[in-house]
Amino acid sequence: MADLSHLGGWVNDPRGVERSMRPLSSPVFGDAWGPIKDSGKNKVCLLYDYILQAAGSFPIRLQTVGDCVSQGAAYAVDAAKCVDIVVNKEQEEWIAETATEDIYAGSRVVIGGGSLRGDGAYGVWAARYCNEYGAIPRGKYGNVDLSKYSGSKARNWGKPSGGVPKSLLEISKQHPIFTVSRVDSYEQARDLLANGYAITVASDQGFSSQRDSEGFARPRGEWAHQMCLLGVDDQYKRPGVLCMNSWGIWNAGPKRNNQPDGSFWIDADEVEKRMLSQGDCWAFSGYDGFKPRKLDTRII
Amino acid sequence: MRCLPIILTFLFLGCSNLAPQTHNFDHSRNEGYVAFVVNETEYNTPEPTPRLDPDPEKCACKGTGIITHGDGHTTHCPYHYKDDEEDNDTPR
């Protein structure tokens, strides 16, 4: 096993990604694009706004270890469940932000077979885990407490000898992401986002911590990192996508469209050329969420 | 030396009585126990990165202009990074 800890959170391994995406039913979105092609043209769709509406406040994630792949995936699951609640009016309820520790461990151990040392994972592993084993909101599940983020718990569960507790897998499997597909171009990303599908973006492209006057961040430096696209504005004179990071409030500068703290806009051509082209960016479809429960509050 | 035959006898008898044993345990209880141990064990959790602040003392970068994030990446602090040369990007 290679020691890849120096690479940070995302492991850039195109061959590994290709191998890992084989079992997927719709591995490449381009093949299934037809029905929604160009539907996002000149449109604005802000998935972060749906999260805000459903959750009451937007969760700003702050990772403490190299588990960015799970952080980005968790944002995509948050978006999927909030689109179901706010837009599709499905009988589901927001419980809490999506937990990351199980996604991280599941990606590395259940999907990846414990083949990586140090921190990190492939984007496709997290996408597959959410598709095959689901994702759950923060909370207590029997003896397993996932109510508060713990980077050390993620790291320990993510060790080759670790994994996701079986009792948690049983619950998680009831709440899968229905389909995950690789996204390769801005136009695909635009149409997916405009239809309510969030996209995880893994690449080695970094960005400036200073947003410009229009809320965009300039490509700058290298990050082996996964984030999440939670909005598109193809109507604006400068078309682009909203990228949500998981480093807390790490950047500053003007904002547009009430974007969340810690986020930045990326120009359309830049996101395609520098991120989507790297082949490990994944659209998350609908989520089998949590049905509202009528609680019996009678005092006996 | 007189004890040796006795010890050997007991050893022999002890060994011959070692029949294969099946260890039964409650898998769900074991799972719960493992989860309990995992939850209760304290690990060296790094301190969460504090927020940015115009005051260098309160800022995540502590006035250095460089912020190190949980996954090891470093970024320039938008408040305290002095040299605004942003030209180290490689065209792709």
Side-chain angles (χ1 to χ4, degrees):
Chain A
M1 287 188 289
D3 182 1
L4 298 164
S5 58
H6 61 287
L7 291 172
W10 173 63
V11 177
N12 185 1
D13 178 4
R15 281 188 184 178
V17 171
E18 289 283 340
R19 267 198 309 275
S20 193
M21 62 193 278
R22 278 180 203 149
L24 289 170
S25 56
S26 303
V28 181
F29 175 67
D31 298 338
W33 190 11
I36 64 163
K37 196 165 188 178
D38 292 336
S39 58
K41 215 168 187 177
N42 297 316
K43 290 215 177 115
V44 185
C45 186
L46 311 173
L47 303 187
Y48 56 83
D49 205 39
Y50 298 138
I51 297 177
L52 183 64
Q53 284 181 51
S57 64
F58 187 88
I60 306 286
R61 296 174 184 275
L62 175 58
Q63 62 178 97
T64 57
V65 296
D67 59 355
C68 61
V69 167
S70 63
Q71 305 281 344
Y75 266 133
V77 176
D78 282 345
K81 71 173 88 156
C82 291
V83 166
D84 282 351
I85 295 168
V86 177
V87 182
N88 300 334
K89 310 281 184 207
E90 288 186 12
Q91 287 295 303
E92 294 176 6
E93 62 182 349
W94 170 268
I95 292 173
E97 67 182 68
T98 303
T100 52
E101 294 87 336
D102 54 325
I103 297 177
Y104 185 63
S107 304
R108 287 170 56 89
V109 183
V110 180
I111 303 294
S115 56
L116 290 180
R117 279 187 191 159
D119 286 344
Y122 304 164
V124 64
W125 285 356
R128 270 189 58 194
Y129 181 76
C130 292
N131 177 228
E132 293 168 33
Y133 295 90
I136 48 176
R138 292 218 168 276
K140 286 187 179 177
Y141 299 90
N143 287 321
V144 185
D145 187 356
L146 286 175
S147 53
K148 200 178 164 195
Y149 168 66
S150 164
S152 55
K153 189 179 285 179
R155 185 174 271 171
N156 277 284
W157 286 13
K159 285 178 180 169
S161 57
V164 184
K166 278 182 195 162
S167 56
L168 212 57
L169 277 179
E170 294 305 316
I171 301 167
S172 185
K173 270 185 180 173
Q174 297 167 34
H175 305 285
I177 287 288
F178 295 125
T179 312
V180 292
S181 285
R182 198 179 73 187
V183 184
D184 297 311
S185 70
Y186 167 73
E187 284 75 18
Q188 289 178 9
R190 174 198 65 194
D191 295 344
L192 281 159
L193 287 161
N195 283 277
Y197 304 119
I199 299 163
T200 59
V201 277
S203 76
D204 59 12
Q205 183 61 54
F207 290 87
S208 169
S209 57
Q210 187 69 50
R211 288 184 294 256
D212 67 17
S213 60
E214 295 168 296
F216 284 76
R218 191 177 148 188
R220 179 181 194 285
E222 290 189 358
W223 303 343
H225 194 35
Q226 172 155 298
M227 298 179 280
C228 189
L229 302 183
L230 289 180
V232 63
D233 187 348
D234 197 60
Q235 204 174 64
Y236 193 54
K237 59 183 178 183
R238 196 175 164 188
V241 288
L242 188 283
C243 187
M244 191 66 217
N245 203 344
S246 49
W247 291 344
I249 304 173
W250 67 283
N251 59 352
K255 291 186 185 179
R256 200 162 52 84
N257 290 334
N258 194 29
Q259 68 188 86
D261 284 330
S263 71
F264 55 95
W265 289 90
I266 308 173
D267 288 292
D269 58 333
E270 301 285 18
V271 76
E272 176 169 314
K273 184 173 62 178
R274 297 171 184 271
M275 302 176 93
L276 301 174
S277 67
Q278 295 195 36
D280 201 11
C281 302
W282 297 87
F284 282 46
S285 77
Y287 177 68
D288 197 350
F290 290 76
K291 311 299 174 199
R293 287 173 298 183
K294 279 187 181 171
L295 298 178
D296 187 353
T297 52
R298 284 177 304 170
I299 299 169
I300 300 168
Chain B
M1 285 299 284
R2 250 189 258 167
C3 299
L4 191 62
I6 300 167
I7 293 168
L8 286 172
T9 306
F10 275 105
L11 270 176
F12 173 75
L13 286 174
C15 289
S16 64
N17 284 338
L18 278 178
Q21 291 179 21
T22 310
H23 294 280
N24 290 315
F25 63 94
D26 185 329
H27 286 273
S28 55
R29 282 187 68 183
N30 181 59
E31 171 76 17
Y33 176 72
V34 171
F36 173 78
V37 172
V38 169
N39 281 317
E40 292 303 305
T41 309
E42 285 295 323
Y43 303 107
N44 296 323
T45 310
E47 283 294 312
T49 314
R51 291 185 168 204
L52 303 179
D53 198 293
D55 180 350
E57 293 297 316
K58 294 179 189 166
C59 187
C61 77
K62 299 285 177 205
T64 62
I66 303 289
I67 303 166
T68 302
H69 300 282
D71 58 0
H73 285 116
T74 57
T75 53
H76 291 168
C77 174
Y79 291 120
H80 303 110
Y81 184 67
K82 296 282 193 287
D83 182 7
D84 205 18
E85 288 287 318
E86 295 202 351
D87 57 357
N88 66 347
D89 180 50
T90 46
R92 190 172 293 140

